[in-house]
Amino acid sequence: MSLQVIKTLNRPSQSLCRIMKMSHRNIIKLPLRQSSNSRYPSPKLELPPIVLNTEFLLNPDNKEAIRNNIKARLSDADIDKIHELAAAGNQQEQLAAAECQQADQQEQLLAELVKCPNMSHPKVANLSEPAIVFQRDFVPPDHKIRSFEEIARILGGAKFNNLKPFTGERSYYLTGVLAELEQALIQWAVSQLEEKGFQLISVPDILHSDIIRRCGMNVDGERTQVYRLDPRFGDAALSGTAEMAIGGFLMGKQLTDLPLKICAVSRCYRAEAAQNVQDKGLYRVHQFYKVEMFMVTEGKTEASQEALHEILAIEQQMFDSLGLAYKVLDMSPDELGDPAARKYDVEAWMPGRNFWGEISSCSDCTDFQARRLNITDSNGRFCHTVNGTACAVPRMILALCEQHQTLNGSVAVPAPLRKFLRGNPDVLAGKPKKQRATLMYVNSANYFDNQNVARE
Amino acid sequence: MLRQFFCWRMRGGFRRRKEELCGLCSMSTSSQRLSSSRAQEEKSPPPRSALFISGKQSAKTFKLLSPDLFPENLTRRKEILKTVLKCRNVSLDLDELERDLLHYKELKTRSDQMRQERKSLQEEIKLKKKETGIDPNVIQELIAKESSLKSELSALNEEIWAIEEKAVHNYLQLPNCDKLTVLEDKMVSTIPYNCTDSQDKSTAAPEHSLLTYDQLIDRDELVEYSANSHTSYYLFSTLAKLELRLCWRIQQTLLDEGFEQFSNPDFVKTIGIEGISGDIEGKDLLNLLPTQDFGDRESLNAMYLVGGASKYPLISYFARHTLQNPQVLPLNIFSIGRQYSQVTEENSSLLNTQQSTAITLLNISASRNEMELNLDRILNLYTHILQDFGEVRIIQKGASDLDLCEETRYVFQVCLPVSKKFVQVGELSVEGDYYSRRLMFKQKDEQQTYRNVWTLSGTLLNITRILPIVLETTQNNPKLIQKFYD
């Protein structure tokens, strides 16, 4: 299936201060942001207007439902303030207030409107905690269970210690068979998705921060998970998931032949803080590979829900084929974030850590992203977007190694992965110890002062 | 005698900073203490470094590394250094530098002796104070002696610090030239395209109808260049699949050759950048906005986005490590991943992008001889892999184009047959024992002596750049592209 996309015509540039009519039926548009004035080349990014569903958001009949949704989502949006600003704006319009006054009023309103999270799907709106919809329990082996760190040491396959001064917090190296496993997982995941009709695209890891914002991620402030480049390189941020780059790709496009199914492998960057003791090692890292699924459907709830369940089914099929013990959770509103109307998380049992760790997630974002990125169908209606993780590589490695560990610390390789590893191995074992480099960390910068050092 | 204060141009330019001192070294304090002749020199701020922390800075700054400061290394290479510095238009008195380093070593030895003496005196004073019936004058004498030693040590330290801020920094900024260095670019060889399909010439498309890669990309809608970031691009199915497939194919080749695969972090801090390339400012690199974990470039604790397939994280893995079993050498390692670098031109082309997918190699050898043997082997490996894509040209770069860490560098260019130009898709640097000397990475031999290791490293293949070449070379002949999927 070829990618059928019709690009929209170039939009005329918009002035920064313009009068906009305030009514429930009208489209409200945010002003364009000017590109930064940096000497390093910085492309002029033309962002489409954000077209929110004001008919719904400003309707007093919906106020209570929206307020409840905001509260359930732990969002800091304020529907009462929104309605006050809308009313004040109408008043100004009636009093024929100055153009710029109205524009200021509108900007304030828009700034509040964009904070509103997506409405939760009715099936999850009343959940107080995630609901387990599927669970396959782990059958422990007869032997002692090792943690991933111990398995990695036996395989000679990873390094986590003494890295911070050179490569930063939470950095890691995968070496030997675990590095090969990383590549094998990527190749396998892509091959699976291609069989399921997903088209592979290769995406950028560096994006304008406005694209990331429009996908629903917070880019600013202390709690942001987004890394940014030095401002001398313009407004550039590191993508936390291929979803953002794909969203950027689809921005301003009209799509035919829906549903559209895209997959991408990307390097993901997240400045996530550690939250508890399970976050050590490979579980929570700042840089990792991920294979992502992204679907665009007609702008109908049934269509995006169908896509969500299709993606979930694919995820489950993939984890089943790897023989993993996992559970699927239908997430409660407080876990959805802003963009998702509904989300399923998949958690794999990690016996070395003795807890269920998230390895995948899929979200139905309905028209939340499409309205912000102006993704429409051939009739000009906003599409729905759905995304899901086919393979978050570090946690997949963690789950595979801990669940499929053998008595001596090697790892049984699930059949589907074997052909992607050299020699089609059924067991992952490291190099013989005699062939491995034994490296000792030097504890002091002055260590060699008191040693015999050849003066070469 | 006034010492000449100099600056030199490195490849791509190195600008001496005029603005504020780093908070670690106080200019005003130095100028008060030093003689007037030195005071004039010291008006310029001292050089900054994350790699080398001077004695003066060590009270406030944690010292992570102690690079080797062996004058013998300079003495041995003095002649080639003089030639290369002249070639690079750098004026530096190497004889003076050599003398300063030798003097520095003498001062350090004396300083260590004096510290030892002082320590012994302090212990003696302690013991004497505990003795009963001791003459107080004896203790006073010892205290006076210790105090005098302390003053002498302080003055000695000032002298040492002055050399550290000048000569040591100059030494650490010397180019790594040695016997393999050539002064001018040199064509090493040209290798023909290893075309696996001898297409019947009568069916081959006439040359004038062949399209350039840009035209092919436009015609078949293979790439979308985007304003989402500088030089960003989206590869669609054909090229996206080819990109992934080439990663797998070359991975298998390298594993068959006995290489070990690494997957590396994409970030490296200033100390890694400076230790590996000698460039404290990361002039070709992208640095991140500070967070709570790292600072800006001024702080010398910046974080650079280099990519896991860059040599920086690969070599940083070994920094401050000793190899306990050198019989495993040579080590041959490779990584597949991203490379990120600055692109100062405005363009839409796969040949010049901030982000690339690439494969990088590192060879670690036990000796210079072993390194040179491996050099031949790895050059052949490059040729073997690259000739599958097109005609290959290997050029050895002249001294003025080398990074500080490079004794020499071979660049690999593959021909774009329709666009009629050669594109650099790989390079291999001979670094010798440069990293060993700077990053405290050594091998421990059977006599418990620490020796340097010798390295070669470089990009085996920039996959993003090879894609246009594959497009041009294989157009109108699907069999040629099929081999990459076999």
Side-chain angles (χ1 to χ4, degrees):
Chain A
M1 181 185 2
S2 62
L3 190 66
Q4 295 287 338
V5 172
I6 302 169
K7 288 189 187 177
T8 54
L9 296 173
N10 286 336
R11 294 184 181 276
S13 59
Q14 301 180 11
S15 59
L16 288 176
C17 179
R18 57 181 274 177
I19 300 171
M20 296 171 202
K21 281 196 170 230
M22 301 293 294
S23 82
H24 295 166
R25 292 180 187 277
N26 283 359
I27 291 171
I28 296 178
K29 301 178 183 184
L30 281 177
L32 280 179
R33 189 183 292 262
Q34 285 185 331
S35 56
S36 66
N37 187 19
S38 163
R39 283 160 59 185
Y40 190 77
S42 190
K44 191 167 187 294
L45 179 68
E46 276 215 22
L47 291 163
I50 294 180
V51 183
L52 300 175
N53 189 354
T54 51
E55 192 170 337
F56 174 81
L57 291 168
L58 298 180
N59 186 341
D61 294 339
N62 298 329
K63 202 170 162 186
E64 196 55 34
I66 295 171
R67 185 186 292 113
N68 290 339
N69 184 56
I70 288 170
K71 188 177 172 189
R73 298 262 198 152
L74 308 176
S75 166
D76 55 6
D78 186 341
I79 192 62
D80 294 312
K81 186 173 177 185
I82 288 170
H83 280 254
E84 281 166 21
L85 287 169
N90 281 340
Q91 208 175 21
Q92 280 192 337
E93 190 188 322
Q94 283 162 10
L95 295 175
E99 220 178 89
C100 275
Q101 251 185 308
Q102 290 187 45
D104 281 347
Q105 187 69 26
Q106 186 160 11
E107 270 201 47
Q108 283 181 53
L109 172 61
L110 299 173
E112 291 301 319
L113 278 168
V114 295
K115 289 182 192 173
C116 284
N118 205 347
M119 292 299 290
S120 304
H121 191 278
K123 286 196 176 172
V124 301
N126 295 321
L127 286 178
S128 56
E129 60 180 24
I132 299 174
V133 298
F134 173 85
Q135 181 162 332
R136 175 183 299 121
D137 284 322
F138 176 67
V139 178
D142 295 332
H143 56 80
K144 171 198 159 194
I145 297 226
R146 291 182 165 92
S147 67
F148 170 75
E149 285 71 25
E150 203 180 335
I151 295 167
R153 189 184 52 76
I154 291 168
L155 297 179
K159 181 175 166 68
F160 302 100
N161 297 327
N162 302 315
L163 300 178
K164 183 178 161 185
F166 293 96
T167 50
E169 291 274 352
R170 306 201 152 265
S171 54
Y172 65 96
Y173 290 80
L174 297 176
T175 61
V177 292
L178 290 184
E180 292 174 46
L181 181 60
E182 178 185 67
Q183 278 299 306
L185 282 166
I186 292 169
Q187 300 278 347
W188 164 77
V190 170
S191 75
Q192 292 292 294
L193 297 183
E194 286 185 317
E195 281 177 20
K196 307 258 186 305
F198 282 80
Q199 298 177 65
L200 180 66
I201 70 170
S202 183
V203 300
D205 304 323
I206 302 173
L207 297 171
H208 196 286
S209 62
D210 276 336
I211 293 173
I212 297 174
R213 276 191 197 92
R214 296 225 180 167
C215 289
M217 283 290 288
N218 173 27
V219 178
D220 307 298
E222 281 183 6
R223 289 202 212 155
T224 179
Q225 289 187 11
V226 177
Y227 287 107
R228 300 177 77 164
L229 294 188
D230 187 296
R232 67 196 171 108
F233 302 117
D235 189 327
L238 302 190
S239 173
T241 162
E243 171 195 342
M244 298 172 187
I246 296 171
F249 166 67
L250 295 170
M251 184 169 71
K253 291 188 168 78
Q254 278 188 317
L255 307 179
T256 61
D257 286 348
L258 294 174
L260 176 65
K261 294 161 76 166
I262 294 176
C263 66
V265 182
S266 73
R267 194 72 178 159
C268 302
Y269 299 96
R270 298 184 187 179
E272 291 180 331
Q275 288 161 21
N276 51 48
V277 71
Q278 284 98 348
D279 287 350
K280 64 180 179 180
L282 209 58
Y283 187 77
R284 193 172 299 282
V285 291
H286 292 323
Q287 309 143 40
F288 59 98
Y289 279 113
K290 185 160 67 69
V291 183
E292 182 78 355
M293 294 179 274
F294 196 98
M295 286 181 69
V296 187
T297 72
E298 281 184 290
K300 293 178 184 170
T301 303
E302 313 83 66
S304 56
Q305 280 291 292
E306 189 182 329
L308 178 69
H309 289 101
E310 181 182 345
I311 284 182
L312 177 62
I314 291 170
E315 288 173 356
Q316 286 193 258
Q317 213 171 351
M318 290 172 76
F319 304 147
D320 289 342
S321 73
L322 296 181
L324 288 175
Y326 65 92
K327 62 182 179 183
V328 179
L329 302 161
D330 201 350
M331 303 306 284
S332 49
D334 59 323
E335 300 276 359
L336 293 179
D338 281 352
R342 193 173 188 182
K343 183 168 86 152
Y344 289 103
D345 275 3
V346 180
E347 296 182 352
W349 181 247
M350 296 181 178
R353 277 166 161 70
N354 202 36
F355 93 130
W356 293 93
E358 182 187 330
I359 59 167
S360 178
S361 178
C362 53
S363 301
D364 176 1
C365 298
T366 64
D367 62 355
F368 186 94
Q369 293 176 332
R371 285 180 174 276
R372 285 155 172 76
L373 296 168
N374 197 30
I375 305 171
T376 55
D377 63 19
S378 49
N379 295 316
R381 290 182 303 228
F382 289 109
C383 298
H384 282 195
T385 60
V386 181
N387 63 81
T389 308
C391 183
V393 175
R395 290 191 185 176
M396 188 68 92
I397 289 177
L398 218 161
L400 284 171
C401 287
E402 290 195 354
Q403 288 196 24
H404 293 321
Q405 60 182 283
T406 64
L407 174 64
N408 62 0
S410 57
V411 176
V413 180
L417 288 179
R418 289 176 195 164
K419 69 176 183 182
F420 297 98
L421 289 161
R422 184 166 162 267
N424 276 342
D426 50 7
V427 168
L428 211 57
K431 274 200 296 196
K433 282 193 177 165
K434 281 186 184 172
Q435 294 177 20
R436 295 189 202 176
T438 305
L439 292 170
M440 190 187 86
Y441 184 68
V442 170
N443 279 327
S444 160
N446 298 321
Y447 177 77
F448 291 124
D449 290 354
N450 302 316
Q451 303 294 326
N452 283 337
V453 179
R455 294 167 84 87
E456 295 165 298
Chain B
M1 185 168 147
L2 283 176
R3 291 182 181 143
Q4 292 302 312
F5 203 71
F6 70 93
C7 63
W8 68 79
R9 272 189 298 116
M10 299 298 162
R11 186 176 74 89
F14 172 79
R15 291 169 299 176
R16 184 164 299 282
R17 303 185 64 82
K18 290 185 184 174
E19 62 274 26
E20 88 295 344
L21 300 167
C22 77
L24 308 169
C25 312
S26 166
M27 263 305 292
S28 57
T29 310
S30 300
S31 57
Q32 283 163 14
R33 288 181 185 167
L34 295 177
S35 66
S36 58
S37 61
R38 283 186 185 166
Q40 186 162 358
E41 285 180 335
E42 295 294 337
K43 278 180 185 171
S44 299
R48 286 144 36 86
S49 174
L51 174 68
F52 176 73
I53 305 300
S54 67
K56 187 191 275 186
Q57 296 164 343
S58 62
K60 295 179 193 171
T61 307
F62 178 71
K63 185 163 101 167
L64 190 61
L65 293 170
S66 290
D68 290 348
L69 298 172
F70 299 150
E72 297 88 335
N73 181 273
L74 192 166
T75 307
R76 184 178 63 75
R77 300 187 295 134
K78 203 163 31 165
E79 289 315 306
I80 182 69
L81 267 170
K82 280 181 181 171
T83 312
V84 167
L85 289 174
K86 188 175 171 189
C87 189
R88 292 187 177 204
N89 294 321
V90 173
S91 66
L92 173 61
D93 187 337
L94 285 175
D95 295 317
E96 185 182 357
L97 181 58
E98 189 183 13
R99 283 194 299 272
D100 283 344
L101 285 174
L102 287 166
H103 184 50
Y104 173 73
K105 285 292 173 184
E106 285 166 9
L107 292 178
K108 287 284 279 181
T109 306
R110 238 170 73 202
S111 167
D112 288 341
Q113 284 168 353
M114 286 168 76
R115 265 180 232 282
Q116 208 50 45
E117 267 181 58
R118 188 176 168 215
K119 194 176 169 192
S120 303
L121 271 174
Q122 285 166 341
E123 280 168 12
E124 199 182 338
I125 291 167
K126 228 191 245 176
L127 285 171
K128 291 283 184 208
K129 279 182 177 174
K130 284 180 187 168
E131 276 180 34
T132 50
I134 187 82
D135 181 356
N137 288 333
V138 168
I139 296 175
Q140 284 308 315
E141 256 182 55
L142 285 171
I143 290 173
K145 199 172 170 187
E146 191 265 338
S147 180
S148 165
L149 199 55
K150 182 181 170 187
S151 301
E152 274 183 61
L153 201 47
S154 183
L156 188 63
N157 280 341
E158 291 290 337
E159 214 179 329
I160 288 172
W161 294 342
I163 297 178
E164 283 179 340
E165 286 177 6
K166 190 86 177 300
V168 169
H169 276 278
N170 293 345
Y171 172 76
L172 292 173
Q173 289 288 307
L174 289 175
N176 185 33
C177 48
D178 211 319
K179 59 183 196 178
L180 291 179
T181 306
V182 298
L183 297 182
E184 304 287 333
D185 286 5
K186 187 172 113 178
M187 178 72 76
V188 173
S189 59
T190 307
I191 297 101
Y193 174 29
N194 180 26
C195 179
T196 53
D197 177 62
S198 49
Q199 186 178 30
D200 180 356
K201 284 190 180 168
S202 65
T203 59
E207 203 172 299
H208 64 83
S209 71
L210 293 176
L211 301 177
T212 65
Y213 72 91
D214 274 328
Q215 290 168 331
L216 287 164
I217 283 170
D218 278 341
R219 183 192 74 184
D220 298 337
E221 294 181 328
L222 299 173
V223 179
E224 180 171 303
Y225 298 106
S226 168
N228 291 346
S229 61
H230 180 45
T231 69
S232 70
Y233 57 90
Y234 292 83
L235 304 179
F236 300 139
S237 286
T238 309
L239 290 186
K241 282 192 219 182
L242 183 58
E243 181 188 49
L244 203 61
R245 190 66 195 169
L246 287 174
C247 289
W248 190 87
R249 185 182 162 85
I250 294 171
Q251 176 203 29
Q252 300 305 305
T253 301
L254 293 173
L255 290 172
D256 286 342
E257 289 284 332
F259 278 71
E260 182 175 359
Q261 188 165 357
F262 272 36
S263 175
N264 308 322
D266 299 85
F267 296 167
V268 173
K269 284 192 165 182
T270 304
I271 190 167
I273 304 298
E274 187 191 351
I276 292 164
S277 71
D279 172 22
I280 194 174
E281 295 186 357
K283 61 183 181 310
D284 294 328
L285 302 174
L286 303 167
N287 65 294
L288 302 183
L289 193 65
T291 68
Q292 62 186 13
D293 294 334
F294 51 83
D296 60 12
R297 288 187 305 157
E298 310 302 309
S299 69
L300 302 184
N301 188 35
M303 189 69 87
Y304 290 84
L305 174 68
V306 294
S310 147
K311 67 178 178 183
Y312 293 105
L314 198 44
I315 292 160
S316 295
Y317 179 92
F318 297 97
R320 224 171 121 154
H321 279 84
T322 57
L323 179 64
Q324 302 293 300
N325 55 339
Q327 62 272 22
V328 301
L329 294 174
L331 289 174
N332 290 298
I333 298 163
F334 75 99
S335 302
I336 302 174
R338 299 281 201 239
Q339 286 181 353
Y340 302 97
S341 60
Q342 290 187 26
V343 171
T344 50
E345 300 82 27
E346 307 217 19
N347 66 286
S348 294
S349 168
L350 293 182
L351 299 181
N352 199 15
T353 52
Q354 270 186 160
Q355 171 186 317
S356 298
T357 299
I359 301 178
T360 289
L361 302 180
L362 171 66
N363 165 270
I364 303 171
S365 297
S367 66
R368 183 172 187 89
N369 282 346
E370 188 174 86
M371 181 192 75
E372 291 183 11
L373 284 171
N374 281 303
L375 174 61
D376 287 334
R377 177 182 165 237
I378 290 176
L379 287 172
N380 286 335
L381 178 66
Y382 269 75
T383 306
H384 168 68
I385 289 174
L386 294 179
Q387 68 181 162
D388 279 352
F389 296 100
E391 183 187 347
V392 181
R393 218 160 65 171
I394 307 176
I395 298 170
Q396 188 177 3
K397 298 302 288 181
S400 56
D401 277 334
L402 300 178
D403 289 338
L404 290 183
C405 59
E406 294 174 319
E407 181 177 335
T408 192
R409 174 166 33 124
Y410 298 90
V411 301
F412 297 81
Q413 301 173 341
V414 178
C415 181
L416 267 169
V418 181
S419 306
K420 295 195 188 321
K421 61 179 178 181
F422 277 84
V423 174
Q424 180 174 330
V425 298
E427 76 273 340
L428 180 66
S429 301
V430 177
E431 295 129 353
D433 61 350
Y434 187 81
Y435 301 138
S436 212
R437 287 186 270 122
R438 292 163 73 88
L439 300 176
M440 295 181 72
F441 172 34
K442 295 191 189 293
Q443 55 174 314
K444 189 175 181 182
D445 68 16
E446 285 169 356
Q447 287 77 41
Q448 310 299 301
T449 299
Y450 289 96
R451 299 190 173 280
N452 291 342
V453 295
W454 301 74
T455 66
L456 309 165
S457 74
T459 302
L460 170 63
L461 179 63
N462 185 313
I463 291 179
T464 305
R465 285 184 170 199
I466 208 74
L467 296 176
I469 293 170
V470 172
L471 285 178
E472 282 198 10
T473 310
T474 63
Q475 63 181 302
N476 297 330
N477 189 349
K479 288 184 193 173
L480 290 176
I481 204 169
Q482 190 51 46
K483 69 181 175 191
F484 299 120
Y485 291 90
D486 292 337

